[in-house]
Amino acid sequence: MTLNIGVIGTGAIGREHIRRLSHKLLGSRVVAVTDINLEQAARVVQEEGITAEVYPDGHALVGAADVQAVVVTSWGPTHEEYVLAAIAAGKPVFCEKPLAVTAEGCKRIVEAEQAHGKRLVQVGFMRPYDAGYRQLKAVIDGQRIGEPLMIHAAHRNPSVGEGYTTDMAITDTLIHEINVLAWLLDDQYVSAQVVFPRKTSQALAHLKDPQVVLLETAKGVRIDVEIFVNCQYGYDIQCEVVGEHGIARLPEPSSVQLRSDAKLSNEILVDWKQRFLLAYDVELQAFIDDLKAGQLTGPSSWDGYIAAVTGDACVNAQRSGTIVPITLPTRPAFYG
Ligand code: NAP
């Protein structure tokens, strides 16, 4: 059986997902698209060589009889509205992060989904689907380095646009570490602090870059995450877990090692789309397969909610310069 999918938002990642859902993954086809820019949506349909109807807006797409599942890849502030519309229509929905731009918005989604009585939402946290993070988790869960004590992580981008603000280092960038590190440790955060090192001359005047976020977990693990979004040299994701009797590092993406010009070198990726290319494939294939099996198992709206609560604490910590306590609600049985 082929799952008919409608995609809301045909920008950068929307187009990537349309391509993989149409040409790469098994058991799905894109039958409907929309975007605030309808010309762009029509162009994507044409350029991707698919037969999909262009709907005037997200609500019309959600309501279309042949759309069995919805993928939301529009601008973040629109996510809540479209996810709630999909839940109201009883249709499963894969929503790119953030699930909603406020914790209250995420909570409204969690409540609507629970009132529906069955999981309908998967959030686009793709790192738990990345082969490297899965290997790292297997090492931790297998007790091969003993109990984790510390994590040193880094999230570096070559550069960011003018619209990128200091709090987006949390809400757009760190949000992936917030999700994946809690999953990796099977633990939850209890406090956050943000410190600002010397500012790079490569950042625009309004942006504090780099930043270091210090998180503490319920089990006492201390985490430092460097966010450096004008690092110039590449898109570089680092994660080192220090355990009681060993250290485990996230593997580097594979690349040919070069010996030339009197140098030994490996390429570093520059484009985020390349770094997690396979993880995006695997997360969406899981969404399709889980729907066919009758039960979603990927990152849930609850995961989106607690990431937003943690993100809010980190933004407060940025602004106040203090250590901000994080009180996370108890995970309902509904979310496993
Ligand atoms: P983008 O290139 O700006 O695409 C967003 C698209 O949504 C644009 O075409 C935008 O149109 C459209 N849009 C705005 N308002 C809309 C509305 N009311 N209804 C329908 N479409 C609307 O951004 P992007 O990089 O693809 O990011 C989209 C989302 O995915 C963001 O939430 C982002 O955080 C997330 N994302 C996740 C990852 C990941 O690693 N998981 C990576 C990248 C992005 P205009 O341009 O005309 O406003």
Side-chain angles (χ1 to χ4, degrees):
M1 189 197 93
T2 303
L3 191 70
N4 289 339
I5 294 183
V7 178
I8 303 175
T10 55
I13 199 149
R15 186 170 182 157
E16 291 282 320
H17 286 346
I18 288 170
R19 188 175 302 146
R20 54 174 55 87
L21 289 164
S22 305
H23 304 305
K24 218 171 172 188
L25 305 184
L26 296 175
S28 66
R29 76 178 146 232
V30 176
V31 295
V33 300
T34 188
D35 192 281
I36 195 100
N37 180 343
L38 292 175
E39 276 174 26
Q40 178 193 263
R43 196 166 55 247
V44 168
V45 167
Q46 197 199 14
E47 288 176 4
E48 294 302 328
I50 59 173
T51 312
E53 185 155 347
V54 179
Y55 283 85
D57 60 52
H59 293 281
L61 178 142
V62 168
D66 62 340
V67 169
Q68 296 170 299
V70 179
V71 169
V72 177
T73 48
S74 48
W75 188 46
T78 64
H79 291 184
E80 179 184 347
E81 177 188 342
Y82 294 138
V83 172
L84 286 174
I87 293 172
K91 295 190 180 180
V93 52
F94 175 96
C95 179
E96 263 310 334
K97 60 83 185 165
L99 177 60
V101 288
T102 62
E104 293 72 33
C106 293
K107 196 162 173 231
R108 282 190 283 275
I109 290 172
V110 162
E111 286 167 355
E113 191 181 31
Q114 290 188 73
H116 172 78
K118 187 173 181 206
R119 268 196 65 184
L120 284 177
V121 183
Q122 179 172 329
V123 180
F125 287 133
M126 75 297 182
R127 293 216 193 158
Y129 293 99
D130 173 70
Y133 276 109
R134 286 186 171 207
Q135 288 164 28
L136 196 52
K137 185 162 175 62
V139 165
I140 296 168
D141 290 352
Q143 285 286 316
R144 294 187 46 202
I145 58 168
E147 289 298 323
L149 309 174
M150 292 177 277
I151 291 184
H152 309 297
H155 189 146
R156 306 191 185 112
N157 290 56
S159 62
V160 289
E162 250 178 68
Y164 190 99
T165 51
T166 296
D167 60 345
M168 284 169 73
I170 306 295
T171 56
D172 251 49
T173 303
L174 182 79
I175 197 82
H176 284 296
E177 270 77 18
I178 289 175
N179 169 257
V180 78
L181 299 182
W183 169 81
L184 206 55
L185 294 171
D186 194 17
D187 203 348
Q188 60 180 28
Y189 305 111
V190 295
S191 78
Q193 185 185 6
V194 181
V195 294
F196 297 99
R198 181 181 178 188
K199 181 178 161 169
T200 171
S201 62
Q202 304 298 316
L204 292 169
H206 69 270
L207 179 64
K208 290 185 177 172
D209 187 41
Q211 309 181 20
V212 179
V213 181
L214 304 168
L215 295 162
E216 183 188 3
T217 74
K219 292 179 193 163
V221 178
R222 291 285 182 163
I223 300 171
D224 55 273
V225 187
E226 170 201 315
I227 310 290
F228 187 13
V229 294
N230 288 282
C231 79
Q232 309 295 304
Y233 72 88
Y235 181 72
D236 194 7
I237 302 299
Q238 299 289 325
C239 183
E240 180 181 89
V241 184
V242 179
E244 287 174 299
H245 50 77
I247 287 171
R249 280 191 77 92
L250 181 69
E252 295 287 342
S254 78
S255 79
V256 170
Q257 194 179 64
L258 272 183
R259 290 164 196 265
S260 71
D261 295 329
K263 287 193 196 87
L264 181 62
S265 61
N266 281 88
E267 195 176 309
I268 295 178
L269 294 170
V270 175
D271 187 346
W272 56 265
K273 292 189 213 83
Q274 294 301 319
R275 175 64 181 82
F276 289 109
L277 187 74
L278 294 179
Y280 293 125
D281 290 349
V282 180
E283 68 167 353
L284 272 173
Q285 188 67 63
F287 178 68
I288 297 161
D289 295 347
D290 281 354
L291 288 182
K292 289 182 182 173
Q295 182 63 50
L296 287 178
T297 59
S300 64
S301 56
W302 185 260
D303 296 317
Y305 172 46
I306 59 172
V309 172
T310 307
D312 282 354
C314 294
V315 171
N316 284 342
Q318 277 183 327
R319 291 175 185 162
S320 66
T322 61
I323 299 173
V324 175
I326 302 172
T327 311
L328 293 178
T330 309
R331 181 180 283 265
F334 183 87
Y335 291 105

